[in-house]
Amino acid sequence: MTKKEIFKISAFKENSVWRQILGICSALAVTNLMVNSLIMGLGVIFALALSCFTISLLRSYTPRSIRMMVQTLIIAAYVIIVDIFLRAYIPVVSKQLGPYVGLIITNCILMGRAEAFASQNKPLDSLIDGLGAGVGYTLVLLVISFIRELFGFGSLFGIKVFGDWWTNWSIMVMAPSAFFILAMFIWVINVKYYKNKA
Amino acid sequence: MSTKSFRDTMLYPIVFMLVISFVFVGVLAVMYRGSQAKIEAYEKETYQKMVLSLLATSIGEATDTKPFHIIADYPNSYNKYVKEISFAGLDKRVFIAEVDTVVLGYCVDITGKGLWGTMRALVALSPDFKTLHGISIYDQMETPGLGARIGEEWFTNQFNNFPILKTDGKPGDYVLDAQLIPEGAKAEQTNQIQQITGATITSSSVIKMLKGEINLVYEAYLRQAKL
């Protein structure tokens, strides 16, 4: 497999959210504003790519019996780095994301990629796989938050798109709307991209 | 001697885990040290801004400026009008707003017990301590979606211009008993506060915190005034 193929497969063909249904919790929770989604996505890309890289580097030294402990430790370390960075440099966003940054540790995508790919492949391939999975996740988050912010606040990235005539749909601001949007999004992807029968 | 290498022994996973833990914790500790000052500076700024915005209405009335402008003028306005003082025998942070040595109001940091943990809040009081000018709950561990709604504006706004002292207060019992009414009900008396549906304990904890803490603060204030 070429590097490009690895990226394409993990970002699109085997996308963690719409194909493997992983990382749903945060996809529902932090998608009310596009800025939050973008920063969450960048945090996941960073933590995922680097932890996959590190796990892969250490894979031949890691005893099988404790590999999951080691993976969790590595993932946690990178997530804490993201958390410290956000708290120091973008505190407003850090406050809005609240506990969700720390919860990247428990995001199934990270353990999933670590187990499925990084623990058996070369470091550079793992880095690219991690990047791809992170980009795929961010993409889904951005699609959902695009719809939610547009209809819920009448804005995109905080910039007003609709004028004063627009009445905000409060359902879009609340978490339940993400359930519907995510489900519809997966449905569209299944029909259009995988050509599954609806 | 067996031909078993160290990697096959039981000890290897333990040593490996220890080493890797030390390495990662070390890296994190260095990172945290590096950004600690920045995080603390930000926390101090948010805290001071909160004090300022609680006192802004009083300062605004005295200086004939809109509270909005005073808050926007941080940190100049904070340094100009707000001072941290202490009352003898009171272990709390007390802030005072002054314009030309005229006291415009106090702001006190109070703590209380909520349902799950400690709540911390800043309250603004009139110069005679009779009226609450506002409350801002900045740290709490209440249930998200229920008790955590004490941070919402509609709840805290109920305490703006709330008469906090009894007219016939005695030592140890200066503070007016607030009365909780259901959420959405209209307050008919000035001492009525709408509680949060599904968070009775949290709502009454806020009232209890105010009662206990402001009693202490007022007593310390009276002692101070006598000196």
Side-chain angles (χ1 to χ4, degrees):
Chain A
M1 263 196 299
T2 62
K3 309 261 185 277
K4 209 171 156 189
E5 274 172 350
I6 296 175
F7 183 85
K8 266 192 181 160
I9 288 174
S10 79
F12 305 109
K13 200 152 172 263
E14 292 299 322
N15 181 288
S16 302
V17 184
W18 72 59
R19 191 65 172 166
Q20 303 172 22
I21 319 290
L22 296 176
I24 298 296
C25 171
S26 50
L28 301 178
V30 295
T31 48
N32 55 351
L33 291 173
M34 286 194 85
V35 179
N36 290 357
S37 299
L38 184 69
I39 295 195
M40 184 71 179
L42 291 177
V44 169
I45 293 175
F46 173 84
L48 183 56
L50 287 179
S51 54
C52 280
F53 179 75
T54 317
I55 288 165
S56 173
L57 263 186
L58 296 172
R59 73 185 189 284
S60 50
Y61 307 100
T62 314
R64 254 197 91 67
S65 52
I66 58 160
R67 69 181 195 290
M68 286 209 167
M69 252 162 84
V70 175
Q71 286 166 4
T72 317
L73 178 82
I74 293 169
I75 292 169
Y78 282 114
V79 171
I80 294 170
I81 290 176
V82 173
D83 192 31
I84 293 176
F85 176 81
L86 286 181
R87 269 167 54 194
Y89 297 96
I90 341 180
V92 180
V93 177
S94 165
K95 204 160 185 186
Q96 271 180 16
L97 292 177
Y100 289 102
V101 177
L103 285 177
I104 295 177
I105 298 170
T106 58
N107 192 324
C108 312
I109 299 174
L110 279 87
M111 273 306 264
R113 289 333 289 168
E115 264 296 279
F117 199 94
S119 58
Q120 289 139 29
N121 288 283
K122 290 200 191 96
L124 209 59
D125 290 356
S126 303
L127 183 81
I128 289 165
D129 175 74
L131 276 178
V135 168
Y137 168 81
T138 311
L139 203 71
V140 177
L141 250 62
L142 285 177
V143 169
I144 299 173
S145 60
F146 175 83
I147 301 170
R148 285 182 71 185
E149 186 173 348
L150 187 64
F151 294 113
F153 295 91
S155 61
L156 289 175
F157 282 111
I159 301 159
K160 274 262 168 250
V161 177
F162 293 153
D164 293 330
W165 53 271
W166 177 254
T167 310
N168 292 342
W169 301 2
S170 46
I171 176 83
M172 287 294 177
V173 181
M174 294 184 288
S177 69
F179 277 97
F180 297 113
I181 299 167
L182 182 65
M184 284 192 268
F185 182 63
I186 293 174
W187 173 37
V188 170
I189 291 278
N190 271 332
V191 173
K192 296 278 174 202
Y193 185 68
Y194 295 108
K195 313 274 185 221
N196 286 350
K197 273 189 199 141
Chain B
M1 275 299 280
S2 68
T3 51
K4 248 170 111 182
S5 75
F6 177 61
R7 285 189 61 172
D8 298 321
T9 59
M10 290 269 281
L11 205 62
Y12 179 67
I14 299 170
V15 173
F16 184 84
M17 196 68 210
L18 273 177
V19 170
I20 201 166
S21 301
F22 268 114
V23 171
F24 277 94
V25 171
V27 169
L28 287 183
V30 170
M31 266 223 51
Y32 184 70
R33 278 270 167 214
S35 45
Q36 200 179 13
K38 231 183 158 96
I39 295 172
E40 276 168 8
Y42 172 76
E43 274 165 7
K44 192 178 158 198
E45 189 186 314
T46 346
Y47 188 83
Q48 290 188 342
K49 273 189 183 161
M50 210 153 44
V51 172
L52 186 67
S53 61
L54 278 170
L55 294 168
T57 320
S58 318
I59 300 172
E61 278 167 13
T63 56
D64 206 22
T65 21
K66 290 214 170 73
F68 168 77
H69 292 300
I70 295 169
I71 298 166
D73 195 26
Y74 178 87
N76 296 331
S77 50
Y78 182 88
N79 295 332
K80 198 167 160 193
Y81 304 119
V82 183
K83 226 169 47 188
E84 186 164 359
I85 56 164
S86 63
F87 286 153
L90 185 75
D91 186 23
K92 287 188 194 316
R93 297 186 76 173
V94 181
F95 299 86
I96 188 170
E98 274 180 338
V99 171
D100 304 326
T101 67
V102 178
V103 178
L104 302 171
Y106 293 93
C107 186
V108 191
D109 192 315
I110 60 172
T111 59
K113 249 168 92 180
L115 178 61
W116 302 119
T118 313
M119 296 189 285
R120 290 169 190 284
L122 279 162
V123 285
L125 293 147
S126 61
D128 55 5
F129 273 81
K130 280 188 180 139
T131 321
L132 211 70
H133 277 169
I135 178 168
S136 166
I137 298 162
Y138 65 90
D139 191 19
Q140 41 100 353
M141 297 198 278
E142 302 312 296
T143 325
L146 295 172
R149 290 174 62 211
I150 49 172
E152 287 178 11
E153 259 181 28
W154 71 268
F155 182 76
T156 51
N157 279 350
Q158 299 183 90
F159 295 96
N160 294 352
N161 296 319
F162 181 79
I164 193 76
L165 290 190
K166 281 183 182 170
T167 41
D168 55 344
K170 291 182 290 292
D173 183 27
Y174 289 113
V175 178
L176 191 72
D177 290 292
Q179 198 189 346
L180 287 171
I181 53 171
E183 186 176 334
K186 213 173 150 45
E188 280 159 356
Q189 284 155 10
T190 45
N191 70 330
Q192 286 179 330
I193 295 290
Q194 287 179 37
Q195 68 174 2
I196 296 161
T197 306
T200 311
I201 297 177
T202 306
S203 306
S204 39
S205 301
V206 174
I207 304 294
K208 219 170 121 188
M209 165 173 81
L210 279 173
K211 193 172 162 63
E213 296 282 274
I214 291 181
N215 220 343
L216 284 176
V217 175
Y218 188 60
E219 278 176 356
Y221 165 75
L222 288 180
R223 269 200 308 272
Q224 188 86 357
K226 267 188 211 157
L227 288 177

